[in-house]
C-alpha cells in the first residue's frame, strides 16, 4: 500500500471508517474484476479518493438506495468476513487511474534501477507488466469516459523535464506534470457525478494534491537518493527543506479553499481526507511546527509542572508536621484518608440478605479481574490441546484473523482483539489533535461532520 493519505481508525467515526473501508475494498475488487488478480497490487490509498469524490457528489438518495454499494464475499484481509463495498463508475475510474499510476511508478523504478529492478530479468518482466497495465487502464477508463493518455503523457513529460531542467530552476516546474495528471482525474469525478460546476474547483484541488504528493515523495526520499546518487527534485533545484515545507503547507491550504467551492451531497469523508489527512502527511515528513502536546502533564516522560525558579519541581511531599497531624487525626497509622484500613479482609455480606448474583451483578473489588481471569458466573473457555491449537493458529494466521479482526485465541479460547488493534499499528501519533479543527475557532470544517465520533479520548 502506498499513498500519502493514511487515515487512522482513531480519527474516523464508525460511519466514516465503514465508508473508507468500503471504498478501499471496492477499489481492490474493481482492479481484480477489470484487470486480473495481479492488478490488485496497484491498490493504493490515494487512488480511492477518486471513488470517494464520485460518491460524495452523487445525490444522497442514490447512495441511500444502495446503488453505490454491494456485498462482497469473505476476504482474508477482512478476517474472512463479508463487507459492503463501493461499486460503479467511481470505483472503475479509481481502478483505472491507480493502475496507470502504478505502471508509471514501476517504469520509474526500472529506469532508476532501484533494488531488484537493476537485474535484467526483473526489469524485462516489469516492462512487460507496465505495457499490459497501460493497455488495460486505457480500455477500462474509456468505458467511463476518461482518457488515461493524460496520465501517461504527463509521465513521459516528467522524464524530459528532469533531463532538461536548468540549474537552479524552480521545483514547481518539476511538479507540473503530476499536477496536470491529478487535476484531470479529480475533475472527471464531477463529470461522472453530473455536477459540471464542480469541475474547476476539483481541478484546482487535484492540481495542488499532485504538487503535495510529489514534494512529499521527494522530501521522504531525499536522504536515500543522496546516498545512492539518484536524481531528486529538491537537490536538483537547490530547494531546501524549509521551502519545500512551505510549499506543502500552502498546497494544503489551497486544497481546503478549493473544497469550499465544491458542491457535495456528503462532505464528511472528503473533508477529512483532503483537508485533514493532507496536513497529517506534511507533519509525518516535516514534523509539527510549534506543536505542544495537549495532554500536558499526562504524556509519558513529561516533566513535572514547575513554579519554582531554575526549573526545579515543587516538592509536593507532606511535611513532617502535616504527617503528624494526619496521624493524630485518624489515630492509627494503618488507616487511610477515609478512616478505613486498606489491609482489612474483604467485607462479609449481610447474613439475612443474599449476595447479588447473575451476569449483571457488580463484581466486588476484591475479585481478580482482567486478562487471564474468568469473570464470575461465566463458563471457562474450552482450551484446545497442542495439536488442535496449532491447527487453529495456522488457519487463523493464513486468513489474517490474528492480525485484522477480533477473534478467539486459538489455544485458550479467550476473546481477543487483532494484533494491529492491540499494538496500534496506525501512525496517528497524538490522536488528540484530530479534533482541534472542530472547536469554536474552527476555520475549515463548517459543520462537515468529519469529527463526529472522534475517539481522541482526552480533555483538550
Amino acid at each position: 500500500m502506498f499513498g500519502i493519505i493514511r487515515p487512522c481508525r482513531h480519527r474516523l467515526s464508525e460511519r466514516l471508517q465503514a465508508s473508507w473501508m468500503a471504498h478501499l475494498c471496492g477499489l481492490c475488487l474493481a482492479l481484480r474484476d477489470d484487470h486480473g488478480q495481479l492488478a490488485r497490487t496497484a491498490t493504493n490509498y490515494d487512488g480511492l479518493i477518486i471513488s470517494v469524490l464520485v460518491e460524495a457528489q452523487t445525490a444522497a438518495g442514490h447512495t441511500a438506495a444502495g446503488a453505490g454499494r454491494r456485498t462482497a464475499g469473505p476476504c482474508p484481509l477482512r478476517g474472512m468476513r463479508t463487507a459492503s463495498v463501493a461499486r460503479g463508475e467511481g470505483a472503475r475510474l479509481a481502478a483505472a487511474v491507480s493502475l496507470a499510476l502504478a505502471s508509471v511508478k514501476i517504469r520509474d523504478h526500472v529506469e532508476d534501477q532501484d533494488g531488484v529492478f537493476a537485474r535484467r530479468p526483473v526489469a524485462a518482466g516489469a516492462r512487460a507488466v507496465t505495457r499490459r497495465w497501460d493497455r488495460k487502464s486505457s480500455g477500462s477508463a474509456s468505458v467511463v469516459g476518461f482518457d488515461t493518455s493524460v496520465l501517461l503523457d504527463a509521465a513521459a513529460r516528467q522524464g524530459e523535464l528532469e533531463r532538461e531542467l536548468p540549474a537552479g530552476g524552480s521545483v514547481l516546474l518539476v511538479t507540473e506534470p503530476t499536477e496536470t495528471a491529478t487535476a484531470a482525474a479529480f475533475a472527471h469525478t464531477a463529470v461522472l457525478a453530473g455536477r459540471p460546476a464542480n469541475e474547476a474547483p476539483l481541478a484546482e484541488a487535484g492540481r495542488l494534491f499532485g504538487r503535495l504528493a510529489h514534494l512529499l515523495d521527494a522530501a521522504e526520499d531525499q536522504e536515500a537518493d543522496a546516498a545512492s546518487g539518484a536524481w531528486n527534485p529538491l537537490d536538483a533545484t537547490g530547494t531546501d527543506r524549509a521551502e519545500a515545507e512551505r510549499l506543502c503547507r500552502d498546497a494544503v491550504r489551497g486544497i481546503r479553499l478549493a473544497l469550499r467551492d465544491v458542491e457535495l451531497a456528503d462532505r464528511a469523508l472528503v473533508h477529512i481526507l483532503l483537508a485533514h489527512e493532507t496536513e497529517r502527511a506534511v507533519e509525518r515528513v516535516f514534523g509539527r511546527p510549534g506543536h505542544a502536546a495537549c495532554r500536558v502533564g499526562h504524556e509519558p516522560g513529561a516533566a513535572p509542572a514547575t513554579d519554582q525558579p531554575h526549573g526545579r519541581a515543587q516538592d509536593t511531599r507532606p511535611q513532617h508536621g502535616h504527617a503528624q497531624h494526619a496521624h493524630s487525626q485518624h489515630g492509627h497509622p494503618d488507616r487511610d484518608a477515609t478512616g478505613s484500613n486498606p489491609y482489612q479482609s474483604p467485607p462479609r455480606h449481610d447474613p439475612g440478605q443474599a449476595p447479588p448474583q447473575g451476569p449483571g451483578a457488580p463484581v466486588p473489588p476484591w475479585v481478580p479481574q482482567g486478562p487471564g481471569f474468568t469473570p464470575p458466573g461465566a463458563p471457562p473457555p474450552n482450551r484446545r490441546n497442542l495439536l488442535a491449537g496449532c491447527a487453529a493458529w495456522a488457519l487463523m494466521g493464513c486468513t489474517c484473523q490474528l492480525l485484522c479482526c477480533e477473534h478467539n485465541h486459538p489455544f485458550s479460547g479467550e476473546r481477543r482483539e487483532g494484533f494491529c488493534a492491540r499494538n496500534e499499528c496506525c501512525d496517528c501519533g497524538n490522536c488528540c489533535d484530530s479534533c482541534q479543527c472542530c472547536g469554536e475557532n474552527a476555520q475549515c470544517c463548517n459543520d462537515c461532520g468529519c469529527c463526529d465520533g472522534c475517539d481522541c479520548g482526552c480533555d483538550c
Side-chain angles (χ1 to χ4, degrees), residues 75 85 89 108 116 200 202 284 340-341 344 347 423 432 439:
C75 175
V85 302
E89 293 181 334
D108 288 342
V116 295
L202 283 176
R284 279 196 301 268
S340 61
N341 187 351
Q344 185 179 3
N423 295 274
C432 180

Side-chain angles (χ1 to χ4, degrees), residues 100 134 137-138 141 146-157 180-181 184:
D134 288 345
S137 62
S138 177
F146 184 69
D147 187 5
T148 57
S149 64
V150 178
L151 309 181
L152 301 179
D153 291 345
R157 194 166 69 255
T180 302

Side-chain angles (χ1 to χ4, degrees), residues 170-382:
S170 173
V171 71
L172 297 183
L173 293 175
V174 184
T175 62
E176 183 273 327
T178 307
E179 296 176 17
T180 302
T182 51
F186 273 47
H188 195 70
T189 63
V191 176
L192 294 181
R195 293 184 183 266
N198 287 345
E199 287 190 52
L202 283 176
E204 177 66 10
R207 183 181 66 82
L208 293 172
F209 183 83
R211 175 186 299 180
L212 178 66
H214 198 133
L215 290 174
L216 290 180
D217 182 68
E220 281 187 310
D221 296 342
Q222 188 174 20
E223 184 176 350
D225 290 343
S228 62
W231 191 91
N232 185 282
L234 299 183
D235 294 332
T237 59
T239 304
D240 58 19
R241 292 185 69 86
E243 175 64 11
E245 180 180 0
R246 185 190 68 80
L247 292 173
C248 289
R249 297 194 183 278
D250 285 347
V252 172
R253 285 190 287 268
I255 291 173
R256 289 177 174 174
L257 292 174
L259 287 179
R260 293 182 181 180
D261 298 329
V262 180
E263 184 180 355
L264 300 172
D266 187 353
R267 183 173 295 271
L269 186 57
V270 171
H271 180 84
I272 201 169
L273 295 180
L274 292 178
H276 296 300
E277 291 303 325
T278 50
E279 184 176 11
R280 293 268 175 181
V282 176
E283 291 173 352
R284 279 196 301 268
V285 177
F286 297 104
R288 301 177 182 176
H291 172 70
C294 63
R295 296 192 185 103
V296 177
H298 299 284
E299 292 291 331
T306 60
D307 288 356
Q308 303 297 325
H310 307 296
R312 291 184 299 176
Q314 183 178 1
D315 191 350
T316 59
R317 294 175 298 176
Q319 301 298 322
H320 181 68
H322 297 286
Q324 287 183 345
H325 175 69
H327 175 77
S328 62
Q329 180 180 1
H330 298 295
H332 198 283
D334 290 336
R335 297 191 178 275
D336 58 14
T338 62
S340 61
N341 187 351
Y343 306 105
Q344 185 179 3
S345 60
R348 301 178 183 273
H349 66 274
D350 187 356
Q353 183 180 5
Q357 297 180 355
V363 180
W366 58 84
V367 175
Q369 303 179 57
F373 293 99
T374 303
N382 295 325

Side-chain angles (χ1 to χ4, degrees), residues 52-140:
V52 173
L53 283 172
V54 173
E55 184 178 82
Q57 296 174 83
T58 306
H62 180 76
T63 303
R69 292 283 191 272
R70 70 178 179 88
T71 301
C75 175
L77 296 180
R78 292 192 299 266
M80 299 305 295
R81 298 176 179 176
T82 61
S84 175
V85 302
R87 66 174 181 179
E89 293 181 334
R92 299 193 70 179
L93 176 61
V97 171
S98 296
L99 196 68
L101 294 179
S103 173
V104 171
K105 194 176 186 69
I106 293 176
R107 190 177 292 108
D108 288 342
H109 286 311
V110 172
E111 292 177 357
D112 295 340
Q113 298 184 350
D114 295 334
V116 295
F117 293 98
R119 301 179 180 180
R120 290 184 178 180
V122 176
R127 291 190 185 96
V129 170
T130 58
R131 288 192 295 268
R132 182 173 182 269
W133 282 4
D134 288 345
R135 294 192 304 270
K136 288 281 190 177
S137 62
S138 177
S140 62

